């Protein structure tokens, strides 16, 4: 869309990102098009005939009409999003087969991979073909799928989907992780349930797949994290008008900001690719689409939340154990959840207290029985909180720490 810039602008963006050690991943929406795209062209905006204008259009066979032109398959019945038939050879060539296919074209422009929109509505064969083309053109190219459930047990029309088998996706958007963490922080489940949920997912996914999942807490399709933690009502129980103007009570918002720091601690010390939805780090609020997609609050960022994000992200960047180390979980009681990451002689602990009470926590290696990496963890003689610079000494392999209400620590 020229409104967002030219192709030359995109190439310049990718070049500048690569010079900074960053990668650019595009959002591939290959299940449907817009009704006013040049391929469907329902309103006749483009001069060449689209599928809605002529059955002789080169794009006609991409779509399923019954009858043409007024009735057709559409994504979840939304007529402005006509669904394509991914089995059509001409469509597959357009996406990943031809010399100037969508995949090849944007890889040449500098893209480094794709996030697949509604991956569960794309055939396994289509994803497998796309993956082969991507890997042939970009060895390190990454393919992340939008899958909301456990990707290893996801069922489709032909049985279990093959996302995790090594021939399709590198990873998925980890909505299961997000749901488990939010349920814990909002009091719907306790720390032991969080341990079990995260451990089950790690046991179900191959390690390379799990390490390539987007570890996320908000997205463009969900209620924003801060709004959820501030006690937003179920979206199905209130009108769109209420959603559009919802503002949490100040006391609940203040507590939610503290809980958000705990969410960040769990997210940024967990295996996978931390994925921060723009604006969460600035304290943005909002119900789900379109209210979660408001513009960034330039000049009105929440400095407290932003500072915490920066401190935790910096601690992660400086710690090999957090980024690459083995991972184990522990629940000290219903309110205290601990993540331990360790690599060689380096150990890091993320400890969160979701309750409104002071918690005195004694942590030792024997507490960590959840997960596949329970052997080899050693408690250091002393650790420092990356958020407060406070130093703690261990006694006989046990670290004693006091956590205030809705408080956490990141010990290294």
């Amino acid at each position: 869309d020229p409104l967002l810039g030219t192709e030359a602008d995109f190439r310049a963006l990718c070049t500048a990102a690569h010079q900074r050690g960053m990668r650019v991943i595009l959002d591939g929406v290959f299940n449907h098009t817009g009704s006013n795209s040049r391929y469907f062209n329902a309103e006749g905006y483009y001069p060449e005939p689209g599928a809605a204008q002529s059955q002789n259009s080169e794009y006609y066979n991409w779509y399923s009409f019954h009858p043409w032109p007024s009735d057709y398959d559409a994504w979840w019945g939304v007529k402005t999003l006509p669904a394509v038939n991914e089995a059509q050879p001409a469509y597959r060539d357009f996406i990943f087969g031809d010399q100037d296919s969508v995949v090849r074209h944007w890889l040449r422009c500098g893209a480094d991979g794709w996030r697949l929109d509604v991956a569960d509505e794309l055939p396994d064969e289509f994803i497998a073909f796309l993956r082969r083309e991507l890997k042939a053109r970009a060895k390190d190219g990454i393919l992340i799928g939008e899958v909301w459930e456990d990707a290893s047990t996801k069922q489709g029309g032909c049985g279990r989907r093959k996302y995790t088998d090594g021939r399709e996706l590198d990873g998925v958007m980890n909505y299961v992780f997000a749901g488990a963490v939010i349920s814990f922080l909002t009091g719907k489940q306790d720390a032991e349930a969080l341990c079990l949920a995260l451990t089950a997912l790690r046991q179900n996914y191959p390690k390379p797949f799990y390490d390539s999942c987007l570890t996320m807490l908000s997205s463009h399709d969900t209620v924003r994290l801060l709004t959820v933690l501030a006690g937003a009502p179920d979206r199905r129980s209130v009108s769109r008008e209420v959603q559009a103007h919802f503002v949490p009570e100040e006391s609940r918002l203040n507590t939610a900001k503290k809980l958000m720091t705990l969410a960040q601690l769990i997210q940024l010390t967990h295996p996978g690719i931390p994925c921060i939805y723009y604006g969460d780090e600035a304290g943005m609020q909002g119900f789900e689409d379109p209210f979660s997609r408001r513009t960034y609050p330039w000049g009105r960022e929440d400095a407290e939340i932003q500072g915490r994000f920066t401190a935790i992200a910096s601690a992660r960047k400086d710690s090999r154990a957090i980024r690459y180390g083995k991972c184990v979980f522990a629940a000290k009681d219903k309110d205290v959840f601990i993540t331990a990451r360790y690599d060689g002689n380096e150990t890091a602990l993320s400890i969160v207290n979701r309750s409104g009470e002071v918690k005195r926590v004694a942590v030792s290696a024997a507490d960590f029985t959840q997960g596949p990496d329970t052997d080899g963890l050693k408690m250091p003689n002393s650790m420092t909180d990356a958020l407060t610079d406070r130093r703690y000494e261990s006694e006989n392999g046990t670290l004693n720490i006091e956590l205030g209400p809705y408080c956490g620590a990141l010990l290294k």
Side-chain angles (χ1 to χ4, degrees):
D1 190 334
L3 178 68
L4 304 177
T6 65
E7 185 172 300
D9 293 330
F10 179 79
R11 289 175 181 269
L13 169 68
C14 291
T15 298
H18 294 162
Q19 290 172 349
R20 291 162 172 78
M22 302 170 69
R23 298 293 180 264
V24 178
I25 302 173
L26 297 180
D27 187 18
V29 187
F30 301 139
N31 168 263
H32 49 270
T33 69
S35 59
N36 287 326
S37 66
R38 67 172 65 249
Y39 319 109
F40 201 80
N41 205 11
E43 303 297 328
Y45 178 81
Y46 293 94
E48 65 272 19
Q53 266 100 38
S54 172
Q55 292 174 285
N56 293 321
S57 167
E58 62 177 304
Y59 309 118
Y60 173 76
N61 288 330
W62 288 14
Y63 305 92
S64 298
F65 292 94
H66 22 206
W68 178 86
S70 58
D71 192 18
Y72 46 87
D73 290 347
W75 183 78
W76 285 57
V78 180
K79 288 301 184 179
T80 56
L81 299 174
V84 298
N85 181 355
E86 297 94 346
Q88 275 291 327
Y91 181 70
R92 290 191 176 190
D93 285 344
F94 180 81
I95 298 299
F96 48 69
D98 289 339
Q99 287 297 318
D100 198 37
S101 66
V102 169
V103 171
R104 295 191 191 191
H105 180 91
W106 293 104
L107 287 175
R108 285 197 296 267
C109 287
D112 300 287
W114 298 89
R115 175 262 188 190
L116 288 185
D117 187 66
V118 294
D120 56 352
E121 297 182 43
L122 295 170
D124 282 306
E125 185 184 39
F126 183 91
I127 298 175
F129 276 127
L130 194 155
R131 176 191 177 88
R132 287 201 291 270
E133 178 64 19
L134 170 64
K135 300 297 184 179
R137 306 293 162 183
K139 182 180 178 181
D140 294 330
I142 195 168
L143 193 62
I144 303 291
E146 181 197 7
V147 179
W148 289 60
E149 303 85 3
D150 184 328
S152 69
T153 58
K154 174 76 175 180
Q155 296 290 315
C158 298
R160 188 186 72 85
R161 299 302 301 265
K162 300 179 178 62
Y163 303 135
T164 63
D165 293 0
R167 297 181 181 88
E168 293 191 13
L169 301 174
D170 291 308
V172 293
M173 300 174 72
N174 204 338
Y175 279 105
V176 177
F177 167 86
V181 173
I182 290 171
S183 291
F184 168 65
L185 293 177
T186 54
K188 296 176 181 177
Q189 292 186 317
D190 62 16
E192 182 63 28
L194 177 57
C195 279
L196 292 173
L198 298 184
T199 300
L201 201 60
R202 291 187 70 208
Q203 291 172 335
N204 289 350
Y205 287 177
K207 188 178 187 304
F209 188 93
Y210 197 87
D211 289 344
S212 297
C213 288
L214 297 187
T215 308
M216 47 178 282
L217 292 166
S218 290
S219 82
H220 58 294
D221 287 324
T222 69
V223 180
R224 279 194 177 269
L225 178 62
L226 187 58
T227 302
V228 171
L229 297 178
D234 188 297
R235 62 177 179 79
R236 292 163 293 189
S237 67
V238 294
S239 68
R240 299 293 274 175
E241 183 70 15
V242 171
Q243 293 181 32
H245 299 97
F246 176 77
V247 177
E249 298 174 7
E250 186 173 354
S251 61
R252 301 193 74 170
L253 183 59
N254 289 335
T255 299
K257 290 181 179 181
K258 297 175 183 177
L259 291 173
M260 195 163 187
T261 296
L262 306 188
Q264 297 157 17
L265 282 169
I266 298 172
Q267 177 191 30
L268 290 171
T269 56
H270 192 271
I273 306 169
C275 181
I276 299 170
Y277 183 45
Y278 82 95
D280 274 3
E281 81 286 1
M284 283 183 67
Q285 302 178 45
F287 267 84
E288 66 180 31
D289 179 19
F291 311 117
S292 61
R293 306 190 190 200
R294 293 181 174 120
T295 52
Y296 186 84
W298 295 110
R300 294 177 287 109
E301 298 92 340
D302 187 302
E304 180 182 359
I305 292 177
Q306 204 168 44
R308 289 291 187 181
F309 256 110
T310 300
I312 299 170
S314 296
R316 173 190 170 87
K317 182 179 179 181
D318 294 339
S319 171
R320 180 174 179 81
I322 296 177
R323 288 181 291 129
Y324 302 115
K326 293 184 177 181
C327 177
V328 284
F329 308 119
K332 292 300 295 184
D333 63 23
K334 65 184 180 65
D335 296 316
V336 177
F337 175 78
I338 307 175
T339 303
R341 302 295 301 273
Y342 63 101
D343 179 69
N345 293 323
E346 184 189 357
T347 300
L349 298 177
S350 165
I351 311 175
V352 302
N353 169 26
R354 72 167 184 188
S355 78
E357 303 174 353
V358 173
K359 295 282 185 175
R360 292 174 177 84
V361 184
V363 187
S364 69
D367 293 318
F368 297 93
T369 59
Q370 303 281 357
D373 298 334
T374 53
D375 294 331
L377 173 64
K378 296 179 181 178
M379 196 61 59
N381 293 328
S382 64
M383 303 190 80
T384 301
D385 188 351
L387 303 182
T388 64
D389 289 329
R390 182 174 177 179
R391 192 174 185 83
Y392 296 89
E393 305 294 332
S394 64
E395 299 177 10
N396 300 319
T398 299
L399 194 74
N400 293 288
I401 180 172
E402 182 176 285
L403 293 176
Y406 313 114
C407 190
L410 179 52
L411 306 180
K412 298 168 61 182

